[in-house]
Each structure stands twice: as C-alpha cells, then as structure tokens.
Amino acid sequence: MTPAALIETALLLGVLVLAGGGYGGLYSVGRLRARPALVRAGWVCWVAAFAVALVIAVATPLEAGWKLLVLGSAIVYAVIPPVTWRYLERLHVEAERGR
Amino acid sequence: MYRSQKLSLRYFTAAIVLFGVMILFGLLSALYYLYPSMLFNVFNFSTSKILHIDTLVIWLLMAFMGAVYWYLPKELGREIEGMWLAEATFWVFCAVVAVVALVFVFVQYGSASEFSLWFINQGRKYVEAPRWASIGVVAVMLVFAYNVIGTAVKARKMTGIMWVLVLDLIPLLLVYLDAFPAPTNLSVDLYWWWWLVHMWVESTWEVLIGCVMALVLMDVMGTPRRIVEAWLYIEVMLVLGAGILGLGHHYFWIGTPRYWLGIGGFFSALEPLPLLGMVVHSIYDAGMHRMKTANRPAFFWITAEAFGNFIGAGVWGFMMTLPQINLFSHGTQWTVSHGHFAFYGAYVCGVLAVFYVAKQKIAGVDFLDGRAWRWSFALFNFGMVGMVMGLLISGMAQAFYGRAIGGSTLMAFTQASENPWFLAGMYARMGFGVIFALGYVVLVYDLLTAPRRALVAQPAPLEPA
C-alpha cells in the first residue's frame, strides 16, 4: 500500500460509515416528522455510502476479502434503519398495550 | 433519599474530582508533545500519561458504581444489603487511589524488583497501580458484587436489567484478575493484557453502562421497561457476538498467529452496524419523549452518547480497523484520536447524564434546565471534536511519514514527530483541550449551583409517522 493510498483508503472507510450514519439519521428524522423529503435524503446518503463502497472495491489496494466485507456492510446499512424503526414501533405498540 | 443514594453522591463527587485530575494531566501530557524536554527527569511524560489514563479508568469506574448504588434501591424497592461495608469500601477506595496517585507523583518508578511491582508501579499500561492497590480494587469489586447480588436476593426480585447486571459482575471481577500476572514473554503478556483492556474496560463496561442507561432512560424519558430491556438484551448479544472477537484487532501485531488478522478485522468491521441501530433508536426515543423529559441536560447527554458512540467507535474505529490500514496506524496518535472519541461517546456522555439525574433529585425540582449546562455541553463537545480532529491529523502524519514512507524506524518516528502536520495537530489538540477543560469548569459550577425552581409546561411529544 502506498502512503497516499493508505490515507485515501482510511478516509473512504470513514466516509462510508459516516454516510451510513447520515442515512440512519435522516431516515429516522424523516419518519419521525413525517417528511418524505428527509427520508429520500437519507436514501441519497445510503446511495453515497454504497458508491463509496464501490470506490473502495475498485480503486483501493485492500485485499479482496475486505472489499467484499465492505460491500456487504454497505448493503446491510440499507436495511438497518427501516428494520430498527419497525421493531421500535412494534415494541412501543406492545408496551402501550401492556400498560 | 436512600442511604445508598447518599453513598452514590460520594462516588459521584470522587468521580468528578478524578475527572478533573484526568483533564489536568491530559493537558500536561499534550504539552510534552509541543515541548518534549519539559520537566525532563523531574516529572516525565510517562508519569503524566499514567495519571491521565489511570484516573480515566478509576473515575469512570467510580461513576458507574455510584450510578448502580443510585438506582439499585429504586429498582429493587429496598435499601442496599451490606450498606456499612459499601460505605467503608468507598473510603478505602479513595484512600487507595490517593496513595497510588501520590506514589506516582513523588516516587514515579522503582528498580526492576518485586518491591517495585508490589508497592510502586506494575509497569503495565493502564494497570500501572502497584499490586497492593490492584488487590484493593478487587476487594472493592467484591463488595460491590455482594451489595448488588445480596440486595437482589433479599428483595426476592429480579428484573431483566438486574439479570444482565448480575451476570456482568462475573467478568467484571474475573477479567480484572488479569492485572496481576507478569509474564516475561511480551507476546504472552500482551495477549492477556488485551483481555483486561478490551474485555474489561470495553466489553464488560459496555454492558454495565448499558444497564445504567436502561435505568436512566426509564427515569428521564419514561421509556417503558419492556423496550429498554429488549434493547439491553440486543446489546448484550452484540457485545458477545461482535465485541468479544473484535478483541482480535488488538492481536494483529503482538506476535499472535496470522488468523487473528481475519478474525479481528471481520468482527471489528461488524461493530459499526449495531451502533447505527442505536442512532435510529435514540432519534426515535428523542422524538417520542423529547418534550416529556423533565431533565433536559440528562436528555441531551443521553442523545449525545448515541451519536458520540457511533462516530467515535464506529466511524473512527472503522477507518483504522482493517489490518492493511492498522499496520500503519496502530500506536500512533490516530489510535489516540479513536480512543478519546470512543470513550467520550460510549461512557463519559452517559455518566454525565447520571450526574444530572442526581442533581435534579437533590435540588428537588420538577424540571431541570438552565444556561450553564448548555455551555458545558457545547464546550465539552466542541473541545472533544476539536481534540480528536487534531489527533487524527497528527496520527495520519505519523502513519504517512513515519510508517508508510519512513518504514517505522526510530529516525522516521523522530522525523514524523517534528513534521509540521504532526505539530499542527498537536497544537490544535492542546487548544481544544483547554476548551474541553473549560467545559469541565462550567460543569462543576453547574452541578454545584442550585437550579432555579421553574415549573415549565411541557408541550405534547412529537408523534412518529
């Protein structure tokens, strides 16, 4: 790995997770406030995260296994906010019923 | 107020004092990077760093214990079992910490002998406290475990949170025993030492703060027990699933077999995923309960915890956790940057929330808000973000110039330490460290000042879509 590739790859990995977080944050706020535009902005963040994962897979000197893991992580990011949100809603409904 | 809650206030006070000591020695340690010959042979960097890191461990441990003593009677509906022992232990704990700190300041180190190991400095990073003091910590933990388990048995009551807490006490006690062996083989020593650092301070504490936060969420935001317990179980599963084998990222370069590269990298890469779920959860809860909360500072610190944990542990951790990157980044200021952010996000924010819960109870106000805590909150967060950015720049300069270009030689390390990028990052860390310290001063002022008695009408909570 060249010195420049080291810094570039590390920053790309950080941006990937940050974009995933941006997706989770915007998606959640959008759902909370019933603003589809924010939810869409969240999805844009996820697309950005996936694009970063693709760049990591294509342009960095990481080994193939790590590239697959990064791509897999980016795909999993897509499902975490909606699944978590639905789970939380269900938990709250059940908790309210239990009161 | 229960007697154990009075004890927890003592623990909180001691924790806040040690938090201040930690910041003081953090600032001093930062100065050494700018003035390397400062206090040479009078008070060396190594001693300052020991005091910075060891006080971090102890103040957080004291704050956790205080938080448990605060909530235990409420959770189980009775006073703590063995209260007198708990009270006596607190003073013993304080005395041990004070003696060890004085020995570190005035004696600092000894000759390579058993005497030094027992009475001056064990010489193992993060557990430098001499053996007699480490035995004292074990005794404190045993009393703490007796208080928790004994109270649950006497109360004949076990909640989900209590089960997790009681089970967490087992590794909390056992893994700390790793502080004692002193193998002469460095690889073997580091192999077990990481159990202490990663398993005890990271995994076991992660579950402990999870229990505390579950209790705080019910208290401050009125989150139903069923929900906090469900999330607590998920957290425990994730700690067991990803956190334990995530330990492998510490085994990359200490002489362990090659398969640790794969295990450590894989499980560490999974760690940001649950943190993303926590961000979603915090936004959901914040939206559902934001206006309902009667303790605004605690609420903001709880929310900051989820975001700080995600960015500090998730983003900063993922940047450097894959072996190909870690080869260059480990042991640089890059790691320090990650460590500061992750500890702050995962533990400090949560503990500060508990301090405000206690403050509200002592003040006897229905609604806790004000101006000072906002300043403290802003200064702490601004200071921390600035510090970790400065450290990141310095760390990347070390990895780039000292490791990737220079090949990790001593000369390359020295040259990287004089690199303008490295120094710029260190100056930034110093400046933002002072801002962080100002946040501490405002925090202490705010905690010591009686709040205005204001009953504010609370608007209805926001409804999720």
Side-chain angles (χ1 to χ4, degrees), chain A residues 3-4 6-7 10-11 13-14 17 20-21 25 28 31-32 34 61-63 66 69 77 80 85 87-89 92 94 99, chain B residues 222 226-227 230-231 261 265-266 269 273 276 280-281 283-284 287 310 315 318-319 323-324 334 396 400 405 463-465:
Chain A
L6 163 73
I7 302 297
L11 288 176
L13 290 167
V17 182
S28 307
R31 289 293 304 268
L32 188 74
L62 288 179
E63 285 174 9
W66 300 125
L69 186 66
Y77 283 154
I80 290 176
W85 194 266
Y87 178 63
L88 283 165
E89 281 182 329
H92 272 265
E94 286 173 8
R99 276 184 176 177
Chain B
R226 187 187 161 85
I227 291 168
W231 271 102
L261 296 177
F266 178 76
L273 303 178
L276 180 60
V280 175
H281 185 198
I283 292 173
Y284 186 92
F310 176 77
V315 177
F318 197 61
M319 263 198 285
Q324 279 178 274
W334 195 338
M396 284 185 162
F400 188 86
I405 292 178
E463 289 300 330

Side-chain angles (χ1 to χ4, degrees), chain B residues 43-83:
Chain B
F43 194 81
N44 290 324
F45 168 77
S46 54
T47 309
S48 178
K49 189 185 168 192
I50 286 171
L51 282 157
H52 177 56
I53 294 176
D54 287 15
T55 44
L56 161 78
V57 174
I58 296 296
W59 90 260
L60 284 175
L61 188 60
M62 282 187 158
F64 292 154
M65 290 172 70
V68 172
Y69 283 129
W70 181 268
Y71 277 112
L72 206 55
K74 201 172 171 184
E75 182 72 355
L76 296 176
R78 79 184 298 278
E79 186 54 273
I80 300 285
E81 182 66 13
M83 198 55 225

Side-chain angles (χ1 to χ4, degrees), chain A residues 27-87:
Chain A
Y27 176 90
S28 307
V29 175
R31 289 293 304 268
L32 188 74
R33 295 185 179 270
R35 288 191 187 161
L38 282 176
V39 176
R40 278 198 295 276
W43 281 108
V44 170
C45 273
W46 178 78
V47 170
F50 191 74
V52 170
L54 280 177
V55 172
I56 291 169
V58 173
T60 67
L62 288 179
E63 285 174 9
W66 300 125
K67 288 179 177 178
L68 280 175
L69 186 66
V70 165
L71 281 170
S73 291
I75 292 167
V76 174
Y77 283 154
V79 296
I80 290 176
V83 168
T84 307
W85 194 266
R86 273 200 291 275
Y87 178 63

Side-chain angles (χ1 to χ4, degrees), chain B residues 37-225:
Chain B
S37 58
M38 186 181 75
L39 297 174
F40 184 64
N41 274 348
V42 176
F43 194 81
N44 290 324
F45 168 77
S46 54
T47 309
S48 178
K49 189 185 168 192
I50 286 171
L51 282 157
H52 177 56
I53 294 176
D54 287 15
T55 44
L56 161 78
V57 174
I58 296 296
W59 90 260
L60 284 175
L61 188 60
M62 282 187 158
F64 292 154
M65 290 172 70
V68 172
Y69 283 129
W70 181 268
Y71 277 112
L72 206 55
K74 201 172 171 184
E75 182 72 355
L76 296 176
R78 79 184 298 278
E79 186 54 273
I80 300 285
E81 182 66 13
M83 198 55 225
W84 68 272
L85 198 56
E87 285 169 339
T89 306
F90 167 76
W91 295 112
V92 171
F93 199 0
C94 288
V96 168
V97 170
V99 171
V100 171
L102 288 173
V103 168
F104 282 165
V105 170
F106 293 107
V107 184
Q108 297 181 11
Y109 55 89
S111 57
S113 65
E114 282 287 312
F115 178 83
S116 300
L117 206 67
W118 276 93
F119 297 104
I120 300 174
N121 189 326
Q122 284 208 92
R124 300 178 84 206
K125 206 162 65 168
Y126 304 163
V127 277
E128 284 93 349
R131 276 192 177 165
W132 73 268
S134 297
I135 291 171
V137 173
V138 172
V140 169
M141 289 288 103
L142 277 170
V143 171
F144 179 61
Y146 164 67
N147 290 146
V148 174
I149 297 167
T151 310
V153 170
K154 285 274 179 182
R156 294 177 183 277
K157 184 181 175 187
M158 280 301 272
T159 61
I161 297 170
M162 283 304 300
W163 271 114
V164 175
L165 180 60
V166 166
L167 291 174
D168 191 50
L169 288 172
I170 299 167
L172 193 69
L173 266 166
L174 291 182
V175 181
Y176 185 75
L177 298 180
D178 242 351
F180 296 98
T184 49
N185 182 311
L186 195 58
S187 289
V188 174
D189 185 44
L190 285 172
Y191 184 93
W192 293 109
W193 177 78
W194 276 116
W195 275 59
L196 180 65
V197 177
H198 183 95
M199 298 288 197
W200 194 66
V201 177
E202 294 182 35
S203 305
T204 310
W205 281 21
E206 196 89 43
V207 175
L208 189 57
I209 190 76
C211 294
V212 171
M213 292 317 290
L215 295 162
V216 174
L217 281 171
M218 288 196 295
D219 194 5
V220 174
M221 289 159 80
T223 310
R225 176 178 291 275

Side-chain angles (χ1 to χ4, degrees), chain B residues 36 66 107 145 212 234 247 323 410 426:
Chain B
V107 184
V212 171
I234 291 170
L247 163 80
L410 181 60
M426 282 299 157

